[in-house]
Amino acid sequence: MERKFCDLHIYSDLSIGESSVKDIIEMAQKLDLSSICIIDHVKDKNKDNINRLKEEIKKQKPNIEVLAGVEINTEDTEILKRQISRLRETADIVIVSGGSSKINRAAVEDARVDILAHPERGRRDSGLDDIMARLAAKNNVAIELNFKMVLNTYRKIRSHMLAHMRDNAELVHKFGAPLVISSGAEKAFEIRTGRELASLGTLVGLELAKSLDCVSSVPESMIAHIKKVKGENHIMPGVEVIRKKESKKR
Amino acid sequence: MVPLKRLPPDIRIRERYIVFSIISEKHFSLEEAVRTIWSSALQLFGEAGTSRFHIWIPSNLYNEKRGIGIIRCSHDYVQDIRAALALIKKIDEEQVIIRTLGVTGTIKAAKTKFLDKKTLEDFSN
């Protein structure tokens, strides 16, 4: 069976990116990605564009699966919680922009979060410890290896970045939390094919099959889970409606 | 210089052929492509690391118009070269993506699968 590749972290010009939704979808098709998620960036106060983003995606009529997600970027855990409860319904994928210890911890504690993005950003350490990794496994919050962090840095900083990512990948692997690799692209020319993204995984010490899973089966099962939760039969975690098929005799 | 005779197959390094394609609005000459690929690999892995890859980019198999070429390398380091290719952003200030189309074990397979050489006449030129 051929693998399908996903990239769940791409910005368009409706948020902080530079390329239009149309260009992104075209490039993703060219690079054989089967599903992508275009991300709206929400800071402390600014309003979200997620509905506009959804309309724009619908207008393009893409041949591939295109989701609309949101990334929450804040330093305050209270605001983070409020934003998650506000945006969880509308957004397909909820990403928390990691970096500060408090936010990293709050994100892995919240089962409504899908991805904790770049927990090592702007830090001198990797941003994750054993407790957070265990919590991420329990709450099924995926930890992200962000390709852009390596692409746009050089020499000493890139080396530190890779070292932190290696630490995180090892921790996450040990505690069984999901790990995803995404491009974090701000323009169409920063998107990469699935196998190229997976090469970042092997670069930080993952096995080839595992790092391919990080761009195919892990995000795929995440999307499947979200679709199930958003479906009408879902009531709450553990409770769903199973309709009986009507018998033909009567 | 008289070239060495070829080593027996059990001692020879095992090779793989990576077929890459350059996605960009411009066309690039072989020289530009080779320079960029080498500098990216050298930056990421250093001189000692790159020496293990046995990189060779055959010039006769590079198609400038389509931007498709082949990199020969040692079979253990295909993923590392993929990473080096993925980390290329620009060739001469022009945005590019270098993607790999596939990896094969022989040049012949690379030609038939990715370079559209299917009949005997195609192979002669």
Side-chain angles (χ1 to χ4, degrees):
Chain A
M1 197 186 78
E2 218 168 276
R3 279 182 192 267
K4 287 178 178 172
F5 293 109
C6 316
D7 187 349
L8 298 184
H9 197 162
I10 299 173
Y11 301 103
S12 72
D13 57 359
L14 292 177
S15 57
I16 55 172
E18 289 171 23
S19 301
S20 65
V21 174
K22 188 182 166 217
D23 289 350
I24 289 168
I25 292 172
E26 261 173 28
M27 188 57 93
Q29 275 170 341
K30 219 186 245 180
L31 298 176
D32 301 336
L33 294 168
S34 69
S35 35
I36 59 170
C37 181
I38 299 176
I39 296 291
D40 184 29
H41 191 259
V42 179
K43 278 209 147 187
D44 292 351
K45 276 174 194 154
N46 67 349
K47 278 191 160 183
D48 50 292
N49 276 336
I50 186 116
N51 289 324
R52 246 182 82 202
L53 182 63
K54 277 186 173 173
E55 276 167 30
E56 188 66 34
I57 290 170
K58 219 179 235 176
K59 223 191 277 170
Q60 299 299 335
K61 295 190 184 113
N63 296 328
I64 56 174
E65 187 175 26
V66 183
L67 304 171
V70 69
E71 183 187 34
I72 303 163
N73 185 355
T74 173
E75 294 290 318
D76 191 336
T77 49
E78 284 301 310
I79 294 175
L80 177 73
K81 290 223 165 93
R82 222 177 300 144
Q83 295 280 33
I84 293 171
S85 15
R86 190 168 68 85
L87 294 162
R88 179 67 269 192
E89 279 298 301
T90 39
D92 294 324
I93 302 251
V94 174
I95 298 179
V96 174
S97 173
S100 81
S101 325
K102 270 188 194 165
I103 293 296
N104 287 353
R105 176 75 191 237
V108 292
E109 276 175 348
D110 200 325
R112 294 171 296 177
V113 176
D114 294 312
I115 299 174
L116 169 61
H118 43 69
E120 73 282 344
R121 188 179 68 168
R123 298 178 65 85
R124 285 164 163 267
D125 53 25
S126 69
L128 273 190
D129 56 18
D130 52 338
I131 298 158
M132 291 190 204
R134 194 176 280 134
L135 280 169
K138 188 184 147 210
N139 293 324
N140 215 9
V141 177
I143 308 296
E144 182 203 44
L145 299 182
N146 196 313
F147 186 80
K148 189 186 67 188
M149 290 286 173
V150 184
L151 184 68
N152 290 338
T153 52
Y154 295 101
R155 297 179 185 275
K156 192 179 158 196
I157 300 171
R158 184 187 271 183
S159 159
H160 281 308
M161 240 0 135
L162 287 170
H164 296 332
M165 283 184 180
R166 187 169 291 130
D167 292 349
N168 284 345
E170 207 169 294
L171 258 181
V172 165
H173 176 54
K174 185 166 182 186
F175 289 97
L179 185 70
V180 294
I181 304 175
S182 52
S183 69
E186 286 177 15
K187 42 191 169 188
F189 272 91
E190 283 178 355
I191 306 173
R192 293 289 183 271
T193 62
R195 280 179 192 275
E196 254 81 46
L197 287 179
S199 74
L200 175 66
T202 53
L203 204 61
V204 297
L206 290 175
E207 287 164 25
L208 176 58
K210 285 239 167 61
S211 54
L212 283 172
D213 282 347
C214 293
V215 281
S216 57
S217 64
V218 174
E220 254 177 64
S221 62
M222 191 189 283
I223 293 170
H225 173 74
I226 287 159
K227 274 191 184 154
K228 197 179 152 199
V229 169
K230 297 234 163 182
E232 53 177 11
N233 288 340
H234 180 86
I235 294 170
M236 59 187 279
V239 184
E240 64 180 286
V241 181
I242 299 170
R243 285 178 216 287
K244 223 177 178 180
K245 279 178 190 165
E246 282 179 34
S247 55
K248 284 176 185 171
K249 280 179 185 173
R250 288 181 186 181
Chain B
M1 189 192 78
V2 186
L4 289 172
K5 96 176 164 46
R6 215 171 166 209
L7 286 172
D10 53 334
I11 316 175
R12 236 181 262 162
I13 60 154
R14 288 161 160 245
E15 289 154 353
R16 289 291 180 275
Y17 297 90
I18 301 173
V19 186
F20 67 90
S21 118
I22 302 174
I23 299 175
S24 175
E25 279 148 17
K26 258 177 71 179
H27 299 303
F28 297 100
S29 70
L30 175 77
E31 234 168 81
E32 287 167 320
V34 169
R35 191 172 4 100
T36 319
I37 291 167
W38 266 99
S39 64
S40 173
L42 283 170
Q43 185 170 36
L44 192 59
F45 297 101
E47 287 154 1
T50 315
S51 71
R52 296 191 187 95
F53 300 170
H54 295 276
I55 296 177
W56 176 52
I57 303 171
S59 57
N60 58 334
L61 294 174
Y62 180 74
N63 186 333
E64 192 175 321
K65 240 185 197 167
R66 291 172 65 196
I68 291 181
I70 290 178
I71 303 174
R72 188 190 74 180
C73 65
S74 165
H75 82 302
D76 284 328
Y77 297 100
V78 172
Q79 279 301 312
D80 290 344
I81 291 171
R82 270 220 171 105
L85 291 179
L87 288 172
I88 292 171
K89 279 196 294 191
K90 282 175 179 173
I91 301 180
D92 288 344
E93 298 303 308
E94 186 72 29
Q95 294 189 85
V96 294
I97 297 178
I98 301 193
R99 64 162 302 186
T100 53
L101 296 171
V103 181
T104 61
T106 57
I107 285 194
K108 187 181 171 186
K111 279 180 179 168
T112 41
K113 259 185 164 171
F114 301 106
L115 303 185
D116 294 340
K117 300 207 174 196
K118 296 215 164 84
T119 59
L120 275 176
E121 282 105 65
D122 291 338
F123 276 101
S124 63
N125 49 49

